[in-house]
């Protein structure tokens, strides 16, 4: 984790929440956005993944602050669920049909929006992707990506989890299971985060002489790098589950199946919905805790929200990795304004970083722990 970046991002988030535009710009505003002014009173459609998670409420707070500073407006919309992919595509296409000066998109399924992006490229409508990048976007369609480095964020979760379980792994008499629940296998950010966790965990386990297999969801099994054993023979199995739809209840069912295994020693929920699903499963099983040596299953979450924060505070979760949806929403509006002005842009990456009960109130962490 780049601590300087984390501090700068977090300080900037705090300022966005309650200080002036000039102060924010003086802090750590990317150079490409410094002194930016809108040439006109632009209006931007901002297509989010859904309003299921408070994550998207935080993103909208960032959009609102940026819009006020720049004198532009936006309209946020999204489907009822992040599984409602056709609904989101229809929203995107309807927005494109109005010929906006720019559009912000957080795609539920990156492959589903490629035709829409081609239409944007053909019409000259600049697209800013936020939260989720689109690797195969048609040339000339996406002018800026405002996203967390999700592979880094997943690896951060794996590193902290491994520190808590490595003695249990080293002393295990037989095979042990590490679980991962991902809400989907279609959104690029979730894909990168899930594989970032898996690949880092494989690296750490193999460095300590353990053989590893990845089992479960086909996408993550195929995407994993370095697994060196079959499920039957491995010292450690990373069991990956993806529900049929994106709901806390269905994530809970998947988590419960993993946590019910007698040899499960840890589990990771890779976003707010799946992490809350892990906690819902634990309400029935009561196996999570922060003391692996005494037999607790080590749980690690992702994102924030009141449920996850409470679990970190009371030790049900060892900790979690969060990002700054507020700043992603904020920078997305700035990027769209710059693009509408005709400015060429560079991507805006943001870090994911670890929080636990010891640092939740720190001034560089607390501003990004939204409810």
């Amino acid at each position: 984790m780049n601590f300087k970046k984390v501090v700068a991002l977090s300080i900037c988030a705090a300022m966005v929440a309650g200080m002036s535009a000039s102060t924010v710009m003086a802090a750590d505003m990317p150079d490409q956005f410094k002194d930016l002014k809108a040439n006109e009173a632009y209006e931007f459609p901002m297509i989010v993944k859904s309003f299921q998670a408070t994550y998207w409420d935080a993103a909208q707070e960032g959009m609102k602050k940026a819009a006020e500073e720049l004198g532009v407006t936006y309209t946020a919309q999204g489907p009822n669920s992040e599984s409602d992919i056709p609904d989101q595509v229809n929203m995107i296409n309807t927005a494109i049909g109005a010929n906006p000066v720019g559009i912000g998109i957080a795609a539920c399924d990156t492959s589903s929006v490629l035709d829409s992006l081609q239409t944007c490229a053909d019409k000259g409508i600049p697209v800013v992707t936020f939260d989720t990048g689109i690797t195969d976007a048609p040339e000339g369609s996406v002018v800026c990506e405002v996203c967390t480095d999700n592979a880094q964020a997943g690896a951060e979760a794996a590193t902290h989890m491994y520190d808590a379980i490595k003695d249990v792994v080293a002393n295990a008499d037989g095979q042990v299971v590490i679980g991962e629940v991902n809400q989907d296998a279609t959104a690029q950010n979730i894909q990168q985060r899930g594989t970032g966790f898996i690949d880092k965990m494989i690296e750490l386990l193999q460095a300590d002489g353990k053989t590893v297999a990845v089992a479960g969801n086909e996408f993550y099994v195929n995407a994993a790098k370095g697994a060196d054993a079959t499920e039957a023979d491995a010292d450690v199995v990373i069991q990956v589950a993806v529900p049929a739809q994106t709901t806390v209840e269905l994530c809970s069912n998947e988590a419960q199946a993993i946590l019910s295994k007698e040899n499960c020693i840890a589990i990771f929920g890779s976003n707010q919905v799946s992490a809350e699903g892990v906690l819902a499963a634990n309400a029935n099983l009561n196996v999570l805790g922060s003391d692996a040596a005494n037999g607790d299953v080590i749980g690690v979450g992702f994102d924030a929200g009141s449920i996850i924060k409470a679990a970190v505070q009371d030790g049900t979760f060892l900790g979690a990795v969060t990002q700054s949806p507020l700043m992603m929403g904020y920078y997305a509006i700035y990027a769209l304004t710059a693009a509408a002005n005709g400015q060429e842009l560079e991507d805006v990456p943001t870090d994911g970083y670890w929080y636990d009960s010891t640092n939740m109130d720190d001034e560089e962490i607390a501003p990004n722990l939204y409810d």
Side-chain angles (χ1 to χ4, degrees):
M1 177 173 57
N2 185 325
F3 182 73
K4 289 183 179 179
K5 284 186 177 180
V6 169
V7 172
L9 175 64
S10 302
I11 291 172
C12 192
M15 290 177 175
V16 167
M19 301 181 77
S20 71
S22 60
T23 306
V24 173
M25 289 181 177
D28 198 51
M29 178 73 79
D31 287 342
Q32 63 186 338
F33 299 149
K34 287 180 178 177
D35 302 318
L36 180 66
K37 297 183 186 328
N39 290 346
E40 301 175 24
Y42 302 126
E43 182 173 355
F44 304 113
M46 303 294 290
I47 314 298
V48 303
K49 291 185 177 181
S50 78
F51 297 104
Q52 278 182 290
T54 53
Y55 178 96
W56 298 108
D57 296 332
Q60 282 195 81
E61 286 299 311
M63 295 176 201
K64 179 181 178 183
K65 184 65 177 176
E68 290 172 349
E69 291 175 2
L70 292 166
V72 301
T73 58
Y74 71 93
T75 301
Q77 55 186 310
N80 291 329
S81 164
E82 295 186 28
S83 299
D84 294 335
I85 295 166
D87 289 348
Q88 189 192 46
V89 173
N90 287 337
M91 290 177 182
I92 292 170
N93 289 339
T94 298
I96 293 170
N99 293 312
V101 293
I103 182 171
I105 298 175
C108 295
D109 179 350
T110 52
S111 64
S112 72
V113 301
L114 297 181
D115 288 345
S116 302
L117 293 181
Q118 184 61 60
T119 301
C120 288
D122 294 342
K123 287 188 164 192
I125 300 170
V127 177
V128 171
T129 57
F130 59 103
D131 178 71
T132 299
I134 303 173
T135 300
D136 299 324
E139 185 175 356
S141 59
V142 177
V143 298
C144 184
E145 179 180 295
V146 183
C147 299
T148 300
D149 182 343
N150 282 290
Q152 174 269 336
E156 192 75 14
T159 298
H160 285 273
M161 177 185 284
Y162 190 66
D163 285 345
I165 64 172
K166 61 184 178 182
D167 288 344
V168 173
V169 173
N171 297 321
D173 292 331
Q175 184 181 88
V176 295
V177 170
I178 297 171
E180 176 179 275
V181 181
N182 299 304
Q183 71 167 23
D184 61 58
T186 57
Q188 187 181 65
N189 64 326
I190 302 296
Q191 291 174 344
Q192 292 174 339
R193 197 177 301 155
T195 55
F197 174 90
I198 293 166
D199 293 345
K200 185 63 176 182
M201 187 60 73
I202 291 172
E203 174 191 324
L204 294 167
L205 288 163
Q206 290 177 341
D208 283 340
K210 299 299 181 180
T211 59
V212 189
V214 181
N217 179 265
E218 183 177 4
F219 171 83
Y220 292 100
V221 170
N222 293 335
K225 297 176 182 177
D228 58 358
T230 65
E231 185 176 357
D233 298 330
D235 296 322
V236 181
V237 174
I238 301 175
Q239 186 73 40
V240 188
V242 174
Q245 289 185 307
T246 301
T247 68
V248 171
E249 181 180 7
L250 292 179
C251 286
S252 176
N253 292 343
E254 299 291 348
Q256 188 160 331
I258 296 172
L259 289 170
S260 296
K261 297 176 182 289
E262 290 186 2
N263 57 345
C264 177
I265 62 169
I267 190 167
F268 172 51
S270 67
N271 76 327
Q272 186 176 353
V273 173
S274 59
E276 289 181 3
V278 170
L279 292 169
N282 187 64
N284 295 323
L285 299 172
N286 196 29
V287 295
L288 295 180
S290 300
D291 190 349
N294 283 334
D296 289 344
V297 175
I298 299 299
V300 169
F302 201 96
D303 289 327
S306 58
I307 293 172
I308 296 171
K309 290 196 299 182
V312 172
Q313 286 175 322
D314 69 17
T316 303
F317 268 172
L318 177 72
V321 177
T322 195
Q323 47 196 334
S324 182
L326 184 145
M327 290 309 300
M328 280 188 268
Y330 181 80
Y331 286 145
I333 295 293
Y334 264 83
L336 282 166
T337 301
N341 282 353
Q343 181 178 325
E344 291 189 7
L345 294 166
E346 297 179 355
D347 291 343
V348 183
T350 59
D351 277 345
Y353 54 96
W354 177 259
Y355 69 96
D356 56 32
S357 61
T358 69
N359 71 350
M360 292 178 70
D361 295 327
D362 290 358
E363 63 181 13
E364 70 271 15
I365 301 294
N368 294 308
L369 299 185
Y370 52 89
D371 287 326

